[in-house]
mmCIF file of all heavy atoms in Angstrom:
data_model
loop_
_atom_site.group_PDB
_atom_site.id
_atom_site.type_symbol
_atom_site.label_atom_id
_atom_site.label_comp_id
_atom_site.label_asym_id
_atom_site.label_seq_id
_atom_site.Cartn_x
_atom_site.Cartn_y
_atom_site.Cartn_z
ATOM 1 N N ARG U 76 -15.459 10.687 17.526
ATOM 2 C CA ARG U 76 -14.364 10.462 18.475
ATOM 3 C C ARG U 76 -13.433 9.409 17.888
ATOM 4 O O ARG U 76 -13.812 8.636 17.001
ATOM 5 C CB ARG U 76 -14.877 10.017 19.849
ATOM 6 C CG ARG U 76 -15.696 8.742 19.834
ATOM 7 C CD ARG U 76 -16.332 8.487 21.194
ATOM 8 N NE ARG U 76 -17.158 7.304 21.206
ATOM 9 C CZ ARG U 76 -16.707 6.079 21.501
ATOM 10 N NH1 ARG U 76 -15.430 5.918 21.806
ATOM 11 N NH2 ARG U 76 -17.506 5.044 21.499
ATOM 12 N N VAL U 77 -12.222 9.370 18.410
ATOM 13 C CA VAL U 77 -11.210 8.459 17.889
ATOM 14 C C VAL U 77 -11.436 7.060 18.451
ATOM 15 O O VAL U 77 -11.452 6.878 19.673
ATOM 16 C CB VAL U 77 -9.795 8.959 18.227
ATOM 17 C CG1 VAL U 77 -8.749 7.968 17.728
ATOM 18 C CG2 VAL U 77 -9.555 10.326 17.611
ATOM 19 N N LEU U 78 -11.640 6.089 17.579
ATOM 20 C CA LEU U 78 -11.785 4.691 17.986
ATOM 21 C C LEU U 78 -10.534 3.867 17.706
ATOM 22 O O LEU U 78 -10.420 2.747 18.193
ATOM 23 C CB LEU U 78 -12.974 4.058 17.248
ATOM 24 C CG LEU U 78 -14.343 4.703 17.473
ATOM 25 C CD1 LEU U 78 -15.397 3.976 16.665
ATOM 26 C CD2 LEU U 78 -14.702 4.708 18.949
ATOM 27 N N PHE U 79 -9.637 4.418 16.900
ATOM 28 C CA PHE U 79 -8.417 3.692 16.547
ATOM 29 C C PHE U 79 -7.530 3.529 17.774
ATOM 30 O O PHE U 79 -7.459 4.465 18.583
ATOM 31 C CB PHE U 79 -7.658 4.470 15.456
ATOM 32 C CG PHE U 79 -6.519 3.734 14.840
ATOM 33 C CD1 PHE U 79 -6.741 2.777 13.875
ATOM 34 C CD2 PHE U 79 -5.225 3.984 15.249
ATOM 35 C CE1 PHE U 79 -5.690 2.092 13.304
ATOM 36 C CE2 PHE U 79 -4.171 3.306 14.688
ATOM 37 C CZ PHE U 79 -4.409 2.353 13.708
ATOM 38 N N PRO U 80 -6.862 2.389 17.992
ATOM 39 C CA PRO U 80 -6.711 1.266 17.064
ATOM 40 C C PRO U 80 -7.779 0.193 17.144
ATOM 41 O O PRO U 80 -7.491 -0.973 16.856
ATOM 42 C CB PRO U 80 -5.351 0.706 17.446
ATOM 43 C CG PRO U 80 -5.223 0.982 18.906
ATOM 44 C CD PRO U 80 -5.950 2.273 19.140
ATOM 45 N N HIS U 81 -9.006 0.541 17.514
ATOM 46 C CA HIS U 81 -10.146 -0.384 17.462
ATOM 47 C C HIS U 81 -9.866 -1.635 18.290
ATOM 48 O O HIS U 81 -9.810 -2.754 17.769
ATOM 49 C CB HIS U 81 -10.469 -0.764 16.017
ATOM 50 C CG HIS U 81 -10.865 0.394 15.169
ATOM 51 N ND1 HIS U 81 -12.139 0.930 15.195
ATOM 52 C CD2 HIS U 81 -10.158 1.130 14.284
ATOM 53 C CE1 HIS U 81 -12.212 1.936 14.346
ATOM 54 N NE2 HIS U 81 -11.024 2.091 13.792
ATOM 55 N N GLY U 82 -9.667 -1.406 19.601
ATOM 56 C CA GLY U 82 -9.393 -2.528 20.495
ATOM 57 C C GLY U 82 -10.488 -3.574 20.502
ATOM 58 O O GLY U 82 -10.213 -4.770 20.651
ATOM 59 N N ASP U 83 -11.752 -3.164 20.309
ATOM 60 C CA ASP U 83 -12.845 -4.132 20.287
ATOM 61 C C ASP U 83 -12.726 -5.074 19.091
ATOM 62 O O ASP U 83 -12.965 -6.282 19.207
ATOM 63 C CB ASP U 83 -14.184 -3.408 20.263
ATOM 64 C CG ASP U 83 -14.285 -2.426 19.104
ATOM 65 O OD1 ASP U 83 -13.234 -1.993 18.588
ATOM 66 O OD2 ASP U 83 -15.424 -2.072 18.720
ATOM 67 N N LYS U 84 -12.328 -4.532 17.925
ATOM 68 C CA LYS U 84 -12.147 -5.383 16.745
ATOM 69 C C LYS U 84 -10.962 -6.322 16.923
ATOM 70 O O LYS U 84 -11.003 -7.487 16.490
ATOM 71 C CB LYS U 84 -11.937 -4.508 15.503
ATOM 72 C CG LYS U 84 -13.073 -3.547 15.212
ATOM 73 C CD LYS U 84 -14.317 -4.285 14.767
ATOM 74 C CE LYS U 84 -15.456 -3.327 14.469
ATOM 75 N NZ LYS U 84 -15.142 -2.419 13.351
ATOM 76 N N LEU U 85 -9.908 -5.856 17.580
ATOM 77 C CA LEU U 85 -8.749 -6.707 17.831
ATOM 78 C C LEU U 85 -9.101 -7.833 18.797
ATOM 79 O O LEU U 85 -8.643 -8.980 18.618
ATOM 80 C CB LEU U 85 -7.592 -5.878 18.386
ATOM 81 C CG LEU U 85 -7.038 -4.783 17.467
ATOM 82 C CD1 LEU U 85 -5.900 -4.043 18.154
ATOM 83 C CD2 LEU U 85 -6.547 -5.368 16.154
ATOM 84 N N CYS U 86 -9.910 -7.526 19.807
ATOM 85 C CA CYS U 86 -10.347 -8.566 20.747
ATOM 86 C C CYS U 86 -11.175 -9.627 20.033
ATOM 87 O O CYS U 86 -11.008 -10.833 20.270
ATOM 88 C CB CYS U 86 -11.152 -7.940 21.884
ATOM 89 S SG CYS U 86 -10.180 -6.913 23.017
ATOM 90 N N THR U 87 -12.076 -9.189 19.159
ATOM 91 C CA THR U 87 -12.891 -10.134 18.394
ATOM 92 C C THR U 87 -12.012 -10.999 17.498
ATOM 93 O O THR U 87 -12.246 -12.210 17.353
ATOM 94 C CB THR U 87 -13.917 -9.372 17.544
ATOM 95 O OG1 THR U 87 -14.725 -8.551 18.400
ATOM 96 C CG2 THR U 87 -14.809 -10.336 16.783
ATOM 97 N N PHE U 88 -10.999 -10.398 16.896
ATOM 98 C CA PHE U 88 -10.071 -11.132 16.028
ATOM 99 C C PHE U 88 -9.347 -12.229 16.810
ATOM 100 O O PHE U 88 -9.256 -13.388 16.356
ATOM 101 C CB PHE U 88 -9.072 -10.152 15.416
ATOM 102 C CG PHE U 88 -7.963 -10.787 14.655
ATOM 103 C CD1 PHE U 88 -8.198 -11.427 13.441
ATOM 104 C CD2 PHE U 88 -6.661 -10.761 15.141
ATOM 105 C CE1 PHE U 88 -7.158 -12.019 12.733
ATOM 106 C CE2 PHE U 88 -5.626 -11.339 14.432
ATOM 107 C CZ PHE U 88 -5.879 -11.980 13.231
ATOM 108 N N LEU U 89 -8.840 -11.890 17.999
ATOM 109 C CA LEU U 89 -8.135 -12.884 18.809
ATOM 110 C C LEU U 89 -9.090 -13.969 19.305
ATOM 111 O O LEU U 89 -8.706 -15.154 19.397
ATOM 112 C CB LEU U 89 -7.456 -12.196 19.995
ATOM 113 C CG LEU U 89 -6.273 -11.284 19.650
ATOM 114 C CD1 LEU U 89 -5.733 -10.628 20.909
ATOM 115 C CD2 LEU U 89 -5.174 -12.065 18.940
ATOM 116 N N GLU U 90 -10.310 -13.600 19.630
ATOM 117 C CA GLU U 90 -11.288 -14.597 20.065
ATOM 118 C C GLU U 90 -11.581 -15.608 18.959
ATOM 119 O O GLU U 90 -11.703 -16.808 19.222
ATOM 120 C CB GLU U 90 -12.586 -13.908 20.500
ATOM 121 C CG GLU U 90 -12.450 -13.116 21.796
ATOM 122 C CD GLU U 90 -13.704 -12.319 22.107
ATOM 123 O OE1 GLU U 90 -14.662 -12.394 21.298
ATOM 124 O OE2 GLU U 90 -13.730 -11.630 23.135
ATOM 125 N N GLN U 91 -11.678 -15.143 17.737
ATOM 126 C CA GLN U 91 -11.920 -16.050 16.626
ATOM 127 C C GLN U 91 -10.722 -16.978 16.395
ATOM 128 O O GLN U 91 -10.896 -18.156 16.053
ATOM 129 C CB GLN U 91 -12.221 -15.259 15.349
ATOM 130 C CG GLN U 91 -13.539 -14.496 15.395
ATOM 131 C CD GLN U 91 -14.731 -15.406 15.585
ATOM 132 O OE1 GLN U 91 -14.797 -16.485 15.007
ATOM 133 N NE2 GLN U 91 -15.695 -14.971 16.384
ATOM 134 N N LEU U 92 -9.515 -16.462 16.583
ATOM 135 C CA LEU U 92 -8.336 -17.314 16.447
ATOM 136 C C LEU U 92 -8.295 -18.371 17.540
ATOM 137 O O LEU U 92 -7.879 -19.519 17.295
ATOM 138 C CB LEU U 92 -7.063 -16.466 16.494
ATOM 139 C CG LEU U 92 -6.810 -15.504 15.322
ATOM 140 C CD1 LEU U 92 -5.469 -14.812 15.495
ATOM 141 C CD2 LEU U 92 -6.857 -16.231 13.984
ATOM 142 N N GLN U 93 -8.715 -17.997 18.745
ATOM 143 C CA GLN U 93 -8.739 -18.962 19.836
ATOM 144 C C GLN U 93 -9.759 -20.068 19.599
ATOM 145 O O GLN U 93 -9.546 -21.213 19.993
ATOM 146 C CB GLN U 93 -9.030 -18.247 21.157
ATOM 147 C CG GLN U 93 -7.890 -17.347 21.627
ATOM 148 C CD GLN U 93 -8.266 -16.546 22.868
ATOM 149 O OE1 GLN U 93 -9.412 -16.585 23.317
ATOM 150 N NE2 GLN U 93 -7.295 -15.833 23.418
ATOM 151 N N LYS U 94 -10.851 -19.739 18.933
ATOM 152 C CA LYS U 94 -11.868 -20.747 18.624
ATOM 153 C C LYS U 94 -11.418 -21.696 17.519
ATOM 154 O O LYS U 94 -11.924 -22.814 17.422
ATOM 155 C CB LYS U 94 -13.172 -20.056 18.216
ATOM 156 C CG LYS U 94 -13.852 -19.288 19.338
ATOM 157 C CD LYS U 94 -15.129 -18.633 18.833
ATOM 158 C CE LYS U 94 -15.815 -17.849 19.948
ATOM 159 N NZ LYS U 94 -17.050 -17.160 19.472
ATOM 160 N N HIS U 95 -10.484 -21.243 16.696
ATOM 161 C CA HIS U 95 -10.007 -22.064 15.577
ATOM 162 C C HIS U 95 -8.475 -22.114 15.603
ATOM 163 O O HIS U 95 -7.820 -21.568 14.710
ATOM 164 C CB HIS U 95 -10.510 -21.501 14.253
ATOM 165 C CG HIS U 95 -11.995 -21.318 14.191
ATOM 166 N ND1 HIS U 95 -12.866 -22.353 13.933
ATOM 167 C CD2 HIS U 95 -12.761 -20.211 14.383
ATOM 168 C CE1 HIS U 95 -14.109 -21.904 13.951
ATOM 169 N NE2 HIS U 95 -14.070 -20.614 14.221
ATOM 170 N N PRO U 96 -7.889 -22.750 16.614
ATOM 171 C CA PRO U 96 -6.420 -22.748 16.731
ATOM 172 C C PRO U 96 -5.724 -23.522 15.612
ATOM 173 O O PRO U 96 -4.654 -23.127 15.160
ATOM 174 C CB PRO U 96 -6.168 -23.390 18.095
ATOM 175 C CG PRO U 96 -7.393 -24.225 18.341
ATOM 176 C CD PRO U 96 -8.529 -23.509 17.700
ATOM 177 N N LYS U 97 -6.319 -24.630 15.161
ATOM 178 C CA LYS U 97 -5.681 -25.420 14.111
ATOM 179 C C LYS U 97 -5.695 -24.683 12.780
ATOM 180 O O LYS U 97 -4.711 -24.708 12.027
ATOM 181 C CB LYS U 97 -6.393 -26.765 13.967
ATOM 182 C CG LYS U 97 -6.253 -27.673 15.182
ATOM 183 C CD LYS U 97 -6.924 -29.005 14.944
ATOM 184 C CE LYS U 97 -6.772 -29.920 16.155
ATOM 185 N NZ LYS U 97 -7.434 -31.237 15.933
ATOM 186 N N GLU U 98 -6.823 -24.035 12.482
ATOM 187 C CA GLU U 98 -6.919 -23.320 11.212
ATOM 188 C C GLU U 98 -6.021 -22.085 11.175
ATOM 189 O O GLU U 98 -5.482 -21.718 10.126
ATOM 190 C CB GLU U 98 -8.361 -22.906 10.936
ATOM 191 C CG GLU U 98 -9.316 -24.066 10.677
ATOM 192 C CD GLU U 98 -9.814 -24.712 11.957
ATOM 193 O OE1 GLU U 98 -9.327 -24.326 13.035
ATOM 194 O OE2 GLU U 98 -10.681 -25.608 11.869
ATOM 195 N N SER U 99 -5.864 -21.406 12.321
ATOM 196 C CA SER U 99 -5.060 -20.176 12.351
ATOM 197 C C SER U 99 -3.562 -20.448 12.319
ATOM 198 O O SER U 99 -2.785 -19.604 11.849
ATOM 199 C CB SER U 99 -5.411 -19.362 13.594
ATOM 200 O OG SER U 99 -5.114 -20.105 14.774
ATOM 201 N N CYS U 100 -3.151 -21.635 12.829
ATOM 202 C CA CYS U 100 -1.721 -22.015 12.826
ATOM 203 C C CYS U 100 -0.859 -20.967 13.536
ATOM 204 O O CYS U 100 0.256 -20.670 13.103
ATOM 205 C CB CYS U 100 -1.220 -22.217 11.399
ATOM 206 S SG CYS U 100 -2.083 -23.515 10.488
ATOM 207 N N VAL U 101 -1.377 -20.388 14.599
ATOM 208 C CA VAL U 101 -0.646 -19.378 15.357
ATOM 209 C C VAL U 101 -0.645 -19.777 16.827
ATOM 210 O O VAL U 101 -1.681 -20.193 17.358
ATOM 211 C CB VAL U 101 -1.277 -17.977 15.186
ATOM 212 C CG1 VAL U 101 -0.558 -16.957 16.051
ATOM 213 C CG2 VAL U 101 -1.239 -17.555 13.733
ATOM 214 N N ASP U 102 0.500 -19.656 17.459
ATOM 215 C CA ASP U 102 0.609 -19.924 18.890
ATOM 216 C C ASP U 102 0.130 -18.693 19.651
ATOM 217 O O ASP U 102 0.842 -17.690 19.747
ATOM 218 C CB ASP U 102 2.054 -20.263 19.251
ATOM 219 C CG ASP U 102 2.171 -20.707 20.708
ATOM 220 O OD1 ASP U 102 1.124 -20.843 21.376
ATOM 221 O OD2 ASP U 102 3.313 -20.899 21.173
ATOM 222 N N LEU U 103 -1.093 -18.774 20.146
ATOM 223 C CA LEU U 103 -1.687 -17.610 20.805
ATOM 224 C C LEU U 103 -1.117 -17.372 22.197
ATOM 225 O O LEU U 103 -1.476 -16.379 22.844
ATOM 226 C CB LEU U 103 -3.209 -17.780 20.889
ATOM 227 C CG LEU U 103 -3.937 -17.797 19.539
ATOM 228 C CD1 LEU U 103 -5.426 -18.016 19.740
ATOM 229 C CD2 LEU U 103 -3.686 -16.498 18.788
ATOM 230 N N GLN U 104 -0.237 -18.252 22.668
ATOM 231 C CA GLN U 104 0.401 -18.003 23.960
ATOM 232 C C GLN U 104 1.331 -16.795 23.885
ATOM 233 O O GLN U 104 1.580 -16.140 24.887
ATOM 234 C CB GLN U 104 1.183 -19.241 24.394
ATOM 235 C CG GLN U 104 0.302 -20.440 24.708
ATOM 236 C CD GLN U 104 1.102 -21.646 25.163
ATOM 237 O OE1 GLN U 104 2.331 -21.627 25.132
ATOM 238 N NE2 GLN U 104 0.406 -22.692 25.600
ATOM 239 N N ASP U 105 1.848 -16.529 22.683
ATOM 240 C CA ASP U 105 2.719 -15.369 22.499
ATOM 241 C C ASP U 105 1.947 -14.121 22.079
ATOM 242 O O ASP U 105 2.553 -13.075 21.818
ATOM 243 C CB ASP U 105 3.777 -15.669 21.431
ATOM 244 C CG ASP U 105 4.785 -16.697 21.912
ATOM 245 O OD1 ASP U 105 4.949 -16.820 23.137
ATOM 246 O OD2 ASP U 105 5.385 -17.386 21.064
ATOM 247 N N ALA U 106 0.613 -14.228 21.979
ATOM 248 C CA ALA U 106 -0.186 -13.075 21.565
ATOM 249 C C ALA U 106 -0.186 -12.014 22.659
ATOM 250 O O ALA U 106 -0.310 -12.332 23.847
ATOM 251 C CB ALA U 106 -1.615 -13.502 21.259
ATOM 252 N N PRO U 107 -0.030 -10.753 22.306
ATOM 253 C CA PRO U 107 -0.035 -9.701 23.326
ATOM 254 C C PRO U 107 -1.435 -9.535 23.908
ATOM 255 O O PRO U 107 -2.437 -9.703 23.203
ATOM 256 C CB PRO U 107 0.389 -8.453 22.540
ATOM 257 C CG PRO U 107 -0.021 -8.739 21.138
ATOM 258 C CD PRO U 107 0.146 -10.216 20.947
ATOM 259 N N PRO U 108 -1.527 -9.237 25.204
ATOM 260 C CA PRO U 108 -2.847 -8.989 25.791
ATOM 261 C C PRO U 108 -3.463 -7.715 25.217
ATOM 262 O O PRO U 108 -2.827 -6.669 25.162
ATOM 263 C CB PRO U 108 -2.550 -8.843 27.288
ATOM 264 C CG PRO U 108 -1.111 -8.442 27.352
ATOM 265 C CD PRO U 108 -0.437 -9.097 26.177
ATOM 266 N N VAL U 109 -4.692 -7.840 24.766
ATOM 267 C CA VAL U 109 -5.374 -6.727 24.108
ATOM 268 C C VAL U 109 -6.717 -6.500 24.789
ATOM 269 O O VAL U 109 -7.435 -7.460 25.089
ATOM 270 C CB VAL U 109 -5.594 -7.019 22.609
ATOM 271 C CG1 VAL U 109 -6.383 -5.899 21.958
ATOM 272 C CG2 VAL U 109 -4.260 -7.198 21.893
ATOM 273 N N ASP U 110 -7.031 -5.256 25.059
ATOM 274 C CA ASP U 110 -8.351 -4.916 25.566
ATOM 275 C C ASP U 110 -8.941 -3.806 24.708
ATOM 276 O O ASP U 110 -8.307 -3.304 23.784
ATOM 277 C CB ASP U 110 -8.301 -4.498 27.035
ATOM 278 C CG ASP U 110 -7.335 -3.344 27.280
ATOM 279 O OD1 ASP U 110 -6.948 -2.675 26.302
ATOM 280 O OD2 ASP U 110 -6.950 -3.122 28.436
ATOM 281 N N LYS U 111 -10.176 -3.450 25.003
ATOM 282 C CA LYS U 111 -10.883 -2.476 24.176
ATOM 283 C C LYS U 111 -10.304 -1.072 24.302
ATOM 284 O O LYS U 111 -10.545 -0.237 23.430
ATOM 285 C CB LYS U 111 -12.370 -2.468 24.546
ATOM 286 C CG LYS U 111 -13.071 -3.787 24.232
ATOM 287 C CD LYS U 111 -14.555 -3.719 24.550
ATOM 288 C CE LYS U 111 -15.239 -5.030 24.203
ATOM 289 N NZ LYS U 111 -16.692 -5.002 24.497
ATOM 290 N N SER U 112 -9.574 -0.806 25.376
ATOM 291 C CA SER U 112 -8.994 0.525 25.576
ATOM 292 C C SER U 112 -7.512 0.537 25.221
ATOM 293 O O SER U 112 -6.716 1.199 25.892
ATOM 294 C CB SER U 112 -9.191 0.980 27.025
ATOM 295 O OG SER U 112 -8.572 0.052 27.918
ATOM 296 N N LEU U 113 -7.131 -0.199 24.185
ATOM 297 C CA LEU U 113 -5.728 -0.266 23.779
ATOM 298 C C LEU U 113 -5.238 1.118 23.353
ATOM 299 O O LEU U 113 -5.812 1.741 22.460
ATOM 300 C CB LEU U 113 -5.570 -1.251 22.614
ATOM 301 C CG LEU U 113 -4.149 -1.460 22.094
ATOM 302 C CD1 LEU U 113 -3.334 -2.240 23.115
ATOM 303 C CD2 LEU U 113 -4.173 -2.187 20.754
ATOM 304 N N PRO U 114 -4.164 1.624 23.965
ATOM 305 C CA PRO U 114 -3.674 2.961 23.597
ATOM 306 C C PRO U 114 -2.916 2.933 22.280
ATOM 307 O O PRO U 114 -2.388 1.898 21.853
ATOM 308 C CB PRO U 114 -2.749 3.333 24.757
ATOM 309 C CG PRO U 114 -2.290 2.029 25.306
ATOM 310 C CD PRO U 114 -3.421 1.055 25.107
ATOM 311 N N THR U 115 -2.842 4.087 21.638
ATOM 312 C CA THR U 115 -2.150 4.195 20.355
ATOM 313 C C THR U 115 -0.657 3.955 20.511
ATOM 314 O O THR U 115 -0.005 3.487 19.565
ATOM 315 C CB THR U 115 -2.392 5.588 19.753
ATOM 316 O OG1 THR U 115 -3.800 5.865 19.745
ATOM 317 C CG2 THR U 115 -1.879 5.664 18.327
#
Side-chain angles (χ1 to χ4, degrees):
R76 59 188 178 90
V77 178
L78 300 179
F79 190 79
H81 298 280
D83 55 338
K84 301 291 180 63
L85 297 180
C86 291
T87 303
F88 172 70
L89 291 178
E90 290 173 0
Q91 293 300 320
L92 293 183
Q93 291 174 354
K94 293 180 180 178
H95 306 280
K97 294 183 179 180
E98 293 82 354
S99 61
C100 300
V101 176
D102 187 5
L103 295 178
Q104 293 181 353
D105 291 336
V109 176
D110 56 16
K111 295 183 179 180
S112 59
L113 181 71
T115 309

